[in-house]
Amino acid sequence: MELFSPVTELAGIGAQRAKQLEKLGVRTLYDLLAYFPRTYEDRTQFVCIRALEPGRPACFEAMVVSEPRTAHVRRGMDITRVQVADETGKLTLTFFNQSYLKDSLRYGESYHFYGVLSDSYANQMANPAFEPAERAGLVTGRILPIYALTAGISNKLLIKCVQHALAACADALPEILPEDVRRRYHLCPVRLAYETVHQPANRELLAEARRRLVFEEFFIFSAGLAVMRGQRSRAAAQPYVCAQMEAFYAALPFSLTGAQQSAIRDILRDLASGAVMNRLVQGDVGSGKTMVAAAAVYCAAKNGHQAAFMAPTEILAEQHAKTLSALLGPLGVEVVLLTGSLGAQAKREAKARLADGRAQLAVGTHALLTADVAFSDLGLVVADEQHRFGVAQRAQLAAKARTPHLLVMSATPIPRTLSLIAYGDLDVSVIAELPPGRQKIDTFLVGDSMRRRINAFIRRECAAGHQAYIVCPAVEDGETDTLKSAAVWAEALQRAVFPELRVGLLHGRMKGHEKEAALAAFARHETDILVATTVVEVGVDVPNATLMVIENAERFGLSQLHQLRGRVGRGSAKSYCVLFSDTKNADTRARLKALCATNDGFAIAEQDLALRGPGDFFGSRQHGLPAFKVANLQMDLATLQQAQQAAAEYIRCADDLDAPGLAPLKQRIEALFEQSDVALN
Ligand code: ADP
Ligand code: MG
């Protein structure tokens, strides 16, 4: 048997079992070895019968002292009972619907058992695991691996298959980690690691084996990022001349903050360097990232190259197009908007202008990079609101657009841990400063009993000439009416609560031009209140809005709430955020209270990570994060940092992955990134 032999080569695995195993992603012996336990059950503690405690599982050795008897209780239910004893006491074991066990429990013979003493019936235990004392060690007296299962595949079967596979080909497992890395970070050899995670002798060794596998996983991931980054930064670019920026600075309606200036300096240095830029600009909501991007676009245009500016939604694209053409148009940079809901005629016109180079900047959604948009000379891609644009998309972009400069902008301050993961292939500039004059947004958590007072507050803000957002969670089909759907809620508010005010509506299912019209009306102050779903979450900029009301706030993540709150406080007037929630869940309340306590996006992001975990933080898999099998982003931060460092050094020396010895590493990198559609070329 070889490492990549199909599982059918194992005794007891026929075509049907193989099919069932395939549901677990297991096709080869290697897959089986890499199918790590979900958790473990410590069955190492043996006690005597008298020392068994209700509710606490334990192992014990006992002799069968009665013939097993099966009673037929009712249709579909039999109970098999047997008595066992040691020198300290006697116990009745009951098995439900397992009358076949009768034959494996023999009168007068000794067995090892593992189970929990009933807390309702004295001296009884239901369904213990057991095995003959002289051949024990598979299900008792050990740390038992617990695997995720599927129909037809029991834990016991997996344990046995893994055992066979280990015996047959543990030697053949390739050692991915270079020896000096293993020595420096005290990591055990690959074979020992695999044997131990499947058959741990004790907790200490298990922890060591796990650490090695986590390290390996992060090493592979980091090496992959380092390779991508190396490929991109070795890609030469014609150096831009960045000395002609005065006209741009002079055209700005305000002076840039120090943080904006320093981010722009980083970018211009990249563009002038002769290597391809891969930069992330990270800055809290409202820190003024758009202008930083505009500087990059201007520089590209002055050097005769085009730029593409991608926003996550059409609404944002429209808004950016407006801002950027107002600023850059007078400076001789022609801006076109290109979105899906544009009419055919306008679309054709915009494409033609990009194709022949009349337009220097295209603003749109990610669809901008689809095949049928041709640029005459695309030099720079800006991706706004980076958290919707992951590693995978970046790699695709690099492949598609023949290595233009890339600038990504994140509105979500991501905790350091995750930024290593999500942006490991990028250089980072942080804008840790807001434009002057911004005030703290006061935030309140209220229950429905405050409804009338909040309504009065909305009325007062609007009477003072300001505007308000009311955000409802997206309602999915089948959900109850305790959640407020934006459309229904908007109508009810207009009719019954605020007849004297103008209530607008904006939600994701509206057509492109309807959304645009709703947002434009709000921006022009033709509506006072905008009832919306989270389509207003990122980027929407209406400085006259001073009040953000969020319904069912418990439905949102902290970072999302922070983004929503960032829609207000964009002008000079004092702004407020009201979170409606009647949730009784203590964790959720703590989460919402945390938001009331601070305006600092980074602090909130750290909290969000701690409270909800990285999966939720990124929403789902759509962000191009690979799925780690062993590693846990919260627990394994220290290991991540070590692995990252080791991988960076290693890849620097290795230069590329085509050396023959590196084939296994390359394979593993490709396998890891494949799930997120990243290709290494
Ligand atoms: P972000 O994209 O980082 O959330 P924006 O680029 O949308 O922030 O900027 C938020 C608001 O602040 C905009 O109205 C913008 O015109 C304004 N702004 C940006 N930079 C400055 C500055 N240096 N001084 C004053 N206002 C600024
Ligand atoms: Mg923005």
Side-chain angles (χ1 to χ4, degrees), residues 230-249:
Q231 279 172 350
R232 278 191 242 155
S233 66
R234 270 198 306 278
Q238 183 200 353
Y240 286 14
V241 178
C242 298
Q244 350 159 350
M245 299 295 293
E246 285 72 24
F248 174 79
Y249 295 127

Side-chain angles (χ1 to χ4, degrees), residues 254-257 260 283-291 384-385 435-436 438 539 541 543 570:
F254 37 66
S255 50
L256 294 168
T257 64
Q260 284 172 313
D284 209 342
V285 189
S287 61
K289 295 182 292 295
T290 316
M291 289 305 140
D384 193 14
E385 311 303 352
R438 296 284 166 80
D541 188 25
R570 300 177 82 84

